[in-house]
Amino acid sequence: MKKLCTLLIIALTLVVTSLPAFAQYKSQYKLSVVPGAASGWGKSAQYFTDLVRERTDGRINIKCYFSSQLLAGKQTSEFLMLRNGAIDFAMASTINWSPQIKPLNLTALPFFLAMQDDRYKALDALSAGEAGKMMFAAIEKKGVKPIGWAENGFRELTNSKRAVASPADIKGLKIRVVGSPIFIDAFKALGANPVNMNWAEATTGFQQGVVDGQENPTNGINIPVKIWNYHNFITEWHYIIDPLITGVNPRVWKSFSKEDQAIILECAKEAELYSKAISRVGLDDGSALAYLESINMVPTPAAPLVFLAEQGMTVTKLTPEQTKVFYDATAGVREKWIPIIGEDLVNAAKADIAASK
Ligand code: X2X
C-alpha cells in the first residue's frame, strides 16, 4: 500500500511538472469591441481572435464581446477596465482611450492628416515610426500592453439636413460625437453644436432625430449601420482618423509563454493588414483591394462611395482647397491641443511623415 502511494505521488509529480506553461491559461479570454460584429472593427477583432485560436492550437481562446457589452455601454471606461483586469484584451480606438492617455489625441488633431498628400501613407509612417513608438510607450506606462495597430478609418461627416462643403454649411447642426473633449472643441470651432453620446445609444438617437448628424468611417461603420436610413448627406472630409490598438492586460500578457507571445504578435500583425485593407478598400490608391484579393477576402461593397450614392446619399468629396478652409477654421483647436498631446510627439509625427515622402 505504502509502495503504491509512493508510486502514485511520483507519477502525479511527473505529470504536474511536465505540464506545459499553458496549464495556467484561462479557458477563455475576453476581448472588448465598442461597435457591433458587422463593423470593420468587429470583423478585424474576429479575424485576430480566430487566428490566435488556430495558431495556438486552441491554447489561447479569446472571445469577442461586441457592442460595448463589457463596458455597460460606456466606451471611455474601456482602458481602465482593461488595466484593472476586468477585461483581458481589447481592440480599441485611440478616441476611446484618449481621455486617459492624452498622446492618443494625435490622430484626432483636426485636418492634420487630411492635409497630407497621401493621408494613408502619412498615417502608416507615423504609426510605424517614432510617433507610434511614443504612443505605445505612453499606453504601456499607463498600465496596458499594446501589441498591434488596426484601423477604424478616416471619419466622415453624415447628416440629415444638407450637403456640407464648407464651415458655413455645418453651422448650427447638432452633431453626435464621442465623449472625448477634443471633439467638442473641433465641432464648436466649426460653428456646429456637438453632443456627447455613447455609440451604444447613437443609432437610436439618429432614428429619433435627437441629433442632425454624426461622424464615423465609411467602410468601417457608416455602411454596416446603414447610415442612409437616417442621413442623406455624407461629406468625405477625412478630418481625423481613429487607428485601433490591440491591447492586453499586462498580467495576462506575462502569463503567456514566450512562444505564445510571439504567435499572438504575429496574429496582431496580420490582423493589422486585414483591418487596414477593409477600412481603406475603394478609398485609397487600390492597394487595399489588391491585398484583399491576395488573401481572397474582398468585401462587398468594394466601391463604397458609388454604393452610398446608390442608396440615395449625396456624396460630397472635398477638394484640397475646400479642405484647407476647414483646416484654417480649426487652427485654434490644433493650437490648444498640441501642448496637451505633447510637442515632441507632434514633431516626431511630422518627421515620420516627412521621411516617408
Ligand atoms: O463611437 C464611435 O463613434 C466609434 C464606434 O467610432 C468609436 O468607438 C470611436
Side-chain angles (χ1 to χ4, degrees):
M1 187 64 190
K2 209 174 158 194
K3 227 177 181 175
L4 196 68
C5 274
T6 317
L7 274 175
L8 210 66
I9 287 168
I10 291 172
L12 266 176
T13 314
L14 271 175
V15 168
V16 170
T17 53
S18 65
L19 271 182
F22 64 77
Q24 292 146 30
Y25 288 9
K26 296 185 192 179
S27 60
Q28 195 173 68
Y29 294 90
K30 293 182 175 144
L31 182 143
S32 168
V33 180
V34 167
S39 62
W41 182 343
K43 287 184 187 159
S44 304
Q46 194 64 57
Y47 189 87
F48 168 66
T49 55
D50 285 348
L51 269 183
V52 171
R53 191 175 306 106
E54 187 186 305
R55 301 234 176 118
T56 60
D57 298 319
R59 285 192 299 285
I60 300 174
N61 174 29
I62 311 168
K63 181 174 174 195
C64 295
Y65 288 80
F66 301 104
S67 308
S68 310
Q69 269 179 76
L70 298 174
L71 314 171
K74 198 168 177 300
Q75 61 205 72
T76 48
S77 51
E78 188 179 56
F79 185 81
L80 300 174
M81 293 181 71
L82 179 59
R83 180 168 81 180
N84 75 21
I87 300 172
D88 304 303
F89 286 82
M91 189 178 272
S93 166
T94 46
I95 297 173
N96 294 327
W97 287 6
S98 64
Q100 289 88 27
I101 307 159
K102 304 290 181 227
L104 297 188
N105 286 291
L106 173 69
T107 46
L109 272 178
F111 299 97
F112 168 56
L113 287 170
M115 288 293 284
Q116 307 295 329
D117 301 335
D118 183 333
R119 64 187 187 280
Y120 289 117
K121 198 169 165 199
L123 172 74
D124 289 342
L126 80 82
S127 57
E130 206 46 49
K133 279 194 206 119
M134 290 166 81
M135 289 162 95
F136 270 25
I139 295 169
E140 197 144 13
K141 200 168 144 207
K142 289 270 181 172
V144 163
K145 171 80 188 165
I147 58 166
W149 296 96
E151 189 157 300
N152 189 21
F154 278 94
R155 300 176 72 91
E156 316 297 358
L157 182 73
T158 70
N159 84 92
S160 59
K161 300 285 181 201
R162 53 184 172 259
V164 172
S166 75
D169 300 326
I170 199 177
K171 214 175 167 66
L173 291 184
K174 243 180 158 180
I175 307 291
R176 174 268 168 181
V177 295
V178 191
S180 163
I182 194 169
F183 288 82
I184 298 287
D185 289 348
F187 282 87
K188 277 196 175 152
L190 293 172
N193 183 0
V195 184
N196 276 159
M197 203 186 283
N198 279 305
W199 184 246
E201 286 124 39
T203 41
T204 316
F206 306 154
Q207 196 150 30
Q208 295 172 345
V210 176
V211 288
D212 304 315
Q214 62 98 39
E215 41 76 55
N216 253 300
T218 297
N219 284 331
I221 303 275
N222 291 336
I223 292 179
V225 300
K226 301 188 168 64
I227 202 72
W228 54 88
N229 286 338
Y230 319 107
H231 301 153
N232 281 327
F233 303 94
I234 181 162
T235 301
E236 289 277 317
W237 63 351
H238 325 312
Y239 88 117
I240 64 156
I241 187 166
D242 50 331
L244 304 175
I245 291 164
T246 308
V248 193
N249 173 280
R251 287 177 300 281
V252 171
W253 182 249
K254 281 193 204 108
S255 75
F256 296 140
S257 68
K258 287 276 166 284
E259 294 72 23
D260 282 338
Q261 287 180 352
I263 295 172
I264 295 172
L265 289 172
E266 174 191 293
C267 297
K269 191 75 211 158
E270 280 176 49
E272 174 183 351
L273 295 175
Y274 169 74
S275 182
K276 284 184 170 175
I278 57 170
S279 141
R280 299 175 186 190
V281 69
L283 302 169
D284 70 351
D285 59 5
S287 323
L289 182 62
Y291 177 73
L292 290 167
E293 276 167 355
S294 79
I295 60 167
N296 218 1
M297 291 193 80
V298 178
T300 43
L305 300 184
V306 175
F307 175 78
L308 288 177
E310 282 166 4
Q311 309 314 308
M313 290 191 89
T314 302
V315 180
T316 305
K317 271 186 89 172
L318 296 193
T319 62
E321 295 71 32
Q322 288 171 322
T323 307
K324 177 72 167 52
V325 177
F326 280 101
Y327 178 77
D328 291 343
T330 48
V333 183
R334 291 189 301 279
E335 207 173 296
K336 172 179 169 185
W337 278 86
I338 288 172
I340 302 174
I341 292 164
E343 303 264 1
D344 288 1
L345 176 58
V346 177
N347 289 336
K350 286 180 181 163
D352 290 334
I353 294 168
S356 74
K357 283 187 176 154

